[in-house]
Amino acid sequence: VVDREDELGVLGANINQMAEKLQILLREQELDNQGAKVLAEITMRIRKTLKLEDIYNSATKELRQALKTDRVVIYSLDPQTWEGMIVGESVAVGFPKMMGVQIHDPCFRDRHAETYKDGRVRAISNIYEELSLSNQSCYIKMLEKFAVKGSLIAPIINEEQLLGLLITHQCAHPRVWQQQEIDLFKQLAIQVSYALEQARLLEEIEQARAVAEK
């Protein structure tokens, strides 16, 4: 039998810890006022709801507005096969939608998986000038299909496991990313990771309660 009140108490404590981590992060990182505001607003939204869809919507919408980019997506990964699907998206009018698109990248495991596990952000100003993409014509064709010119990619990690990627695309033209933009993007990916962890915990509690009631 699951003591739901105790479990929800733990959940509440974890959410408070998430907010405390944000305050520490803001003190440690030299983010500009707009970056700090975005992080705070998204964290507050996360504290109000722990539904996956709401988390995806808040994170992608807020970040696209803050960075003034053309698209932000959340890419969920299968850690066994390293294949995945776009599960959240905010995109500017006039550009193709990626929601629900499944992506097969045969080079991901060998070239990028370990790098992302280290928490590194990958900044690509121009896909046609990026050396790491020089021998990946099929991948560039996929990016062209969705009008991608430049991108930032940050890992979504929980307990050292790579669960997905937070990605923003510049579609209208290439873009040289500023360091403060890269820092903001990295920290927001951390906040999304915290939120997904809490959402999964709540889902496990609800499932256990349902089993107990039966």
Side-chain angles (χ1 to χ4, degrees), residues 52-82:
L52 286 175
E53 184 177 353
D54 291 340
I55 293 170
Y56 295 151
N57 290 339
S58 294
T60 56
K61 179 182 177 181
E62 296 287 344
L63 185 56
R64 187 171 72 82
Q65 291 178 346
L67 293 180
K68 295 179 174 59
T69 54
D70 298 316
R71 181 191 294 113
V72 175
V73 299
I74 293 178
Y75 178 50
S76 179
L77 275 167
D78 182 334
Q80 302 301 319
T81 64
W82 294 119

Side-chain angles (χ1 to χ4, degrees), residues 173-184:
H173 48 72
R175 176 168 173 170
V176 177
W177 303 99
Q178 303 302 311
Q179 189 58 49
Q180 65 182 20
E181 295 173 333
I182 296 172
D183 291 341
L184 170 61

Side-chain angles (χ1 to χ4, degrees), residues 22-23 25-26 31-45 62-63 65-66 184 188:
L22 172 64
Q23 296 303 319
L25 179 150
L26 292 178
L31 298 175
D32 60 15
N33 290 335
Q34 181 63 25
K37 181 181 178 181
V38 169
L39 280 172
E41 287 179 353
I42 293 177
T43 300
M44 288 303 297
R45 290 179 183 275
E62 296 287 344
L63 185 56
Q65 291 178 346
L184 170 61
L188 185 54

Side-chain angles (χ1 to χ4, degrees), residues 52-176:
L52 286 175
E53 184 177 353
D54 291 340
I55 293 170
Y56 295 151
N57 290 339
S58 294
T60 56
K61 179 182 177 181
E62 296 287 344
L63 185 56
R64 187 171 72 82
Q65 291 178 346
L67 293 180
K68 295 179 174 59
T69 54
D70 298 316
R71 181 191 294 113
V72 175
V73 299
I74 293 178
Y75 178 50
S76 179
L77 275 167
D78 182 334
Q80 302 301 319
T81 64
W82 294 119
E83 294 186 4
M85 182 173 70
I86 303 298
V87 295
E89 178 183 38
S90 175
V91 61
V93 175
F95 296 109
K97 294 183 179 180
M98 294 187 70
M99 187 67 178
V101 170
Q102 293 182 320
I103 299 175
H104 174 63
D105 182 357
C107 300
F108 187 86
R109 180 191 294 273
D110 297 332
R111 293 190 178 185
H112 306 303
E114 291 303 318
T115 298
Y116 287 130
K117 282 184 177 180
D118 292 339
R120 201 172 307 170
V121 176
R122 188 180 182 196
I124 299 175
S125 299
N126 187 332
I127 65 171
Y128 300 110
E129 297 177 358
E130 176 66 23
L131 293 178
S132 65
L133 298 179
S134 59
N135 296 320
Q136 299 186 49
S137 58
C138 60
Y139 187 65
I140 287 181
K141 287 181 180 178
M142 188 275 291
L143 294 176
E144 288 176 336
K145 180 180 178 181
F146 295 103
V148 179
K149 300 294 191 303
S151 66
L152 285 178
I153 308 169
I156 297 173
I157 301 172
N158 181 25
E159 296 181 353
E160 299 184 355
Q161 184 176 25
L162 182 62
L163 300 179
L165 301 172
L166 182 65
I167 306 170
T168 190
H169 291 150
Q170 193 71 36
C171 299
H173 48 72
R175 176 168 173 170
V176 177

